[in-house]
Amino acid sequence: MTSAPDYKIAFTTFQNVVNNELVKTTETRRTICPSTEEPLWESPVTTQEDVDHAVSISKAAFPAWRKLSQDERAEYLVKFADAIEANTQEFIDLLGKEAGKPPQGGGFEMGLVMNLARETAKLRLKEEKPEDSDDRTAIVRYVPLGVGVGIVPWNFPMALGVGKLFPALLAGNTFIWKPSPYSPYSALKLAEVGAKVLPPGVFQALSGEDNLGPMLTAHPDVAKVSFTGSTETGKRVMAACATTLKRVTLELGGNDAAIVCDDVDIPNVAAKIAFLAFVHSGQICMNIKRIYVHEKIYDQFLDALVAVVKQFKTGDYTDAEAFFGPIQNSMQFDKLQDLYAQIDKQGWKTALGGALEKREGKGYFVTPTIIDNPPEESRIVVEEPFGPIVPVLKWSDDDDVINRANASKMGLGASVWATDVAHGRQIAEQLEAGSIWVNTHFEVAPHVPFGGHKHSGIGMDWGDVGLQGWCNPQAYWVKHSKL
Ligand code: NAD
């Protein structure tokens, strides 16, 4: 009888993972715990030389990895998922410290990670046959690109990377993961877990300073960059990738509208929308960021929303009851402080919260805030706050609210809430966004593509579309006539 493999790793030191080995860098850096503002562990500072070396290893690992069948690669991915799962509690604890997630939030992210890992391993690239006649057969098949790079933000430091890594590997690419300098730790540990099951060089992780992303987007031997982050950085990534004609997928910011019709069950829908607007303290691309409520139910709905959000508890990574954790980093906290300062300056009316005072050395905690019917052109409506501050706005005419929802440059997601589902669908189908939802929001699945329209992105991750995004389509002709 063989004993179960030992997939446990220690969560005490954090190093780059190159060629399945832990590699020390000459310099190191530490990030700040968002709950305590104390420095966390040392982490690598990757140099250009380190990047060149890791890319050459990834490139060398590609031919053997692409030669495996999809089923063989999927077998590796299933083992990898088992190995991640064996370290679940350690990852939740780590997300608490590096990302500011209370246990509920860390558990939520780990749930996403495991679902993405397990379900992606079940997907397969399929060939298409646009012609299969006596004369000839034409096949469209999808062939891997080579070395893929995933550039990941700090808000979901594990799940957003796993949603790139697993499809990239399944499609036959090798992969280098670059975490955000604000949250480097969990990616390095995932790669360390990966080194227990994957062939060397197939998955590597490199962490460093702000200059690391540009080193990777400029590298001539990187074939594709899949980026998740802000729209501004996304534009820079695309420009850098143009020089070497890299393939790019961009998952960028959002300013999702929710349109609430006058026939909804108010307490039920207010509770759902409260969760979807405020979960992870508003630091999710797909949080509801503008709540349009029909004027007939506006006052009642606003009261119900406020009552629900008031019940959400704030706490740090030790607090199992906490819904709101801190903002993940000082840069984002400073941006929010500037936005909160506009409440008085612009005379916005608050239905909840308002003031934002920084407690010295006690973490980046922010007051949950609801703004009552601000002007449509105000910053709180037009910008993506990425924090727990949300505007509620009045509407009365379908066409008008559709225009207002579509007026944003962003187009990540949008939802309509209606008891009359046919009416809800009629509105939803006119919304300009990569995901549209009726009576839900933030509904995602590994077998369904996810991405943004307009300034919210280019291309999609996940599902068949996401898997194909890690490939070049190839037209493959076979002539049947004798030579
Ligand atoms: P960011 O754009 O500042 O950074 C994202 C990543 O890009 C980090 O790893 C960073 O180090 C790297 N980077 C920075 N400059 C770079 C450059 N010039 N070249 C290459 N890489 C570079 O974003 P952030 O603040 O970490 O994340 C918050 C933003 O991400 C929000 O706008 C949010 O809406 C968006 N987001 C989008 C999605 C989505 O799926 N659409 C998901 C989560 C977050």
Side-chain angles (χ1 to χ4, degrees):
M1 209 178 83
T2 52
S3 58
D6 178 15
Y7 291 138
K8 285 280 197 188
I9 58 162
F11 281 66
T12 44
T13 56
F14 297 85
Q15 282 160 25
N16 283 341
V17 179
V18 177
N19 210 17
N20 278 3
E21 283 164 17
L22 300 180
V23 178
K24 281 203 163 77
T25 53
T26 317
E27 283 182 45
T28 57
R29 58 189 292 279
R30 290 169 189 265
T31 63
I32 300 296
C33 172
S35 299
T36 62
E37 295 176 59
E38 301 286 333
L40 291 165
W41 310 269
E42 283 183 78
S43 68
V45 175
T46 298
T47 63
Q48 182 69 54
E49 211 183 339
D50 301 328
V51 168
D52 293 344
H53 177 59
V55 173
S56 73
I57 299 280
S58 264
K59 195 178 170 189
F62 174 57
W65 182 247
R66 79 173 295 177
K67 252 193 196 170
L68 298 178
S69 68
Q70 286 192 80
D71 287 351
E72 286 168 325
R73 289 195 293 265
E75 259 179 60
Y76 275 109
L77 295 185
V78 170
K79 271 194 212 148
F80 187 15
D82 292 342
I84 297 170
E85 197 163 40
N87 293 280
T88 295
Q89 190 53 51
E90 290 80 357
F91 276 120
I92 292 175
D93 295 344
L94 183 57
L95 285 170
K97 290 188 181 131
E98 83 165 340
K101 300 198 175 196
Q104 286 180 23
F108 178 68
E109 176 155 5
M110 269 314 282
L112 276 176
V113 165
M114 291 318 305
N115 192 29
L116 278 163
R118 297 229 177 268
E119 294 304 312
T120 302
K122 295 179 192 162
L123 297 177
R124 293 291 179 274
L125 286 161
K126 295 167 205 85
E127 293 183 348
E128 295 143 30
K129 230 182 244 178
E131 184 172 336
D132 194 14
S133 62
D134 290 345
D135 179 40
R136 61 193 185 171
T137 300
I139 297 168
V140 181
R141 59 182 205 143
Y142 294 90
V143 295
L145 299 165
V147 179
V149 162
I151 299 183
V152 180
W154 43 260
N155 64 333
F156 275 75
M158 292 182 71
L160 294 171
V162 166
K164 301 179 188 302
L165 168 69
F166 273 64
L169 297 191
L170 182 67
N173 304 279
T174 53
F175 189 89
I176 298 175
W177 179 321
K178 191 208 88 65
S180 164
Y182 291 113
S183 57
Y185 301 108
S186 49
L188 298 171
K189 285 291 132 180
L190 269 176
E192 202 176 320
V193 172
K196 289 199 162 237
V197 292
L198 296 168
V202 166
F203 168 31
Q204 310 185 94
L206 299 177
S207 178
E209 309 267 14
D210 289 343
N211 59 358
L212 177 55
M215 288 181 208
L216 290 161
T217 54
H219 201 291
D221 289 335
V222 170
K224 160 148 186 169
V225 173
S226 180
F227 169 85
T228 300
S230 63
T231 299
E232 286 318 306
T233 311
K235 289 178 190 170
R236 285 198 280 278
V237 166
M238 193 163 175
C241 288
T243 316
T244 44
L245 281 184
K246 288 181 182 50
R247 277 58 181 151
V248 280
T249 298
L250 302 177
E251 302 284 355
L252 308 178
N255 195 0
D256 288 14
I259 297 174
V260 183
C261 296
D262 60 4
D263 62 350
V264 296
D265 170 4
I266 293 172
N268 180 15
V269 173
K272 288 192 171 133
I273 289 191
F275 177 84
L276 292 160
F278 285 95
V279 61
H280 194 29
S281 303
Q283 301 171 103
I284 309 182
C285 54
M286 277 177 288
N287 279 120
I288 293 174
K289 298 191 175 115
R290 295 175 287 156
I291 309 174
Y292 289 95
V293 180
H294 196 282
E295 65 178 5
K296 274 195 202 156
I297 57 163
Y298 184 87
D299 292 339
Q300 265 176 290
F301 190 91
L302 186 62
D303 288 349
L305 191 72
V306 168
V308 178
V309 178
K310 263 187 185 163
Q311 285 168 9
F312 292 150
K313 190 178 172 210
T314 297
D316 66 14
Y317 59 84
T318 60
D319 187 344
E321 310 275 295
F323 176 84
F324 288 114
I327 295 304
Q328 201 270 342
N329 59 69
S330 60
M331 175 273 300
Q332 187 58 30
F333 185 88
D334 292 346
K335 280 191 193 171
L336 282 168
Q337 233 172 359
D338 179 51
L339 188 64
Y340 275 68
Q342 303 305 311
I343 297 174
D344 279 347
K345 282 192 197 153
Q346 306 296 328
W348 299 336
K349 198 171 145 201
T350 51
L352 180 73
L356 176 55
E357 284 160 31
K358 175 79 182 70
R359 293 178 300 164
E360 199 53 49
K362 290 260 177 66
Y364 308 122
F365 291 93
V366 182
T367 323
T369 293
I370 296 176
I371 308 288
D372 178 1
N373 207 26
E376 196 71 21
E377 62 286 356
S378 51
R379 276 182 60 188
I380 186 61
V381 181
V382 175
E383 291 178 11
E384 176 188 43
F386 230 54
I389 172 166
V390 184
V392 184
L393 302 123
K394 258 184 216 173
W395 68 278
S396 57
D397 173 76
D398 285 13
D399 288 339
D400 176 58
V401 78
I402 291 165
N403 285 339
R404 288 160 71 192
N406 286 342
S408 174
K409 279 194 294 187
M410 300 299 183
L412 190 61
S415 59
V416 184
W417 301 75
T419 301
D420 177 352
V421 174
H423 179 218
R425 291 183 66 165
Q426 204 178 25
I427 298 177
E429 285 166 23
Q430 298 178 68
L431 297 174
E432 297 165 354
S435 297
I436 53 172
W437 295 279
V438 175
N439 291 334
T440 184
H441 200 109
F442 196 164
E443 192 97 15
V444 291
H447 57 286
V448 179
F450 167 75
H453 291 182
K454 303 198 278 188
H455 285 211
S456 288
I458 291 185
M460 290 183 119
D461 275 338
W462 310 353
D464 287 349
V465 176
L467 206 51
Q468 288 168 4
W470 283 102
C471 300
N472 275 320
Q474 186 176 54
Y476 170 23
W477 296 88
V478 180
K479 195 82 169 165
H480 301 312
S481 53
K482 288 209 174 99
L483 289 176

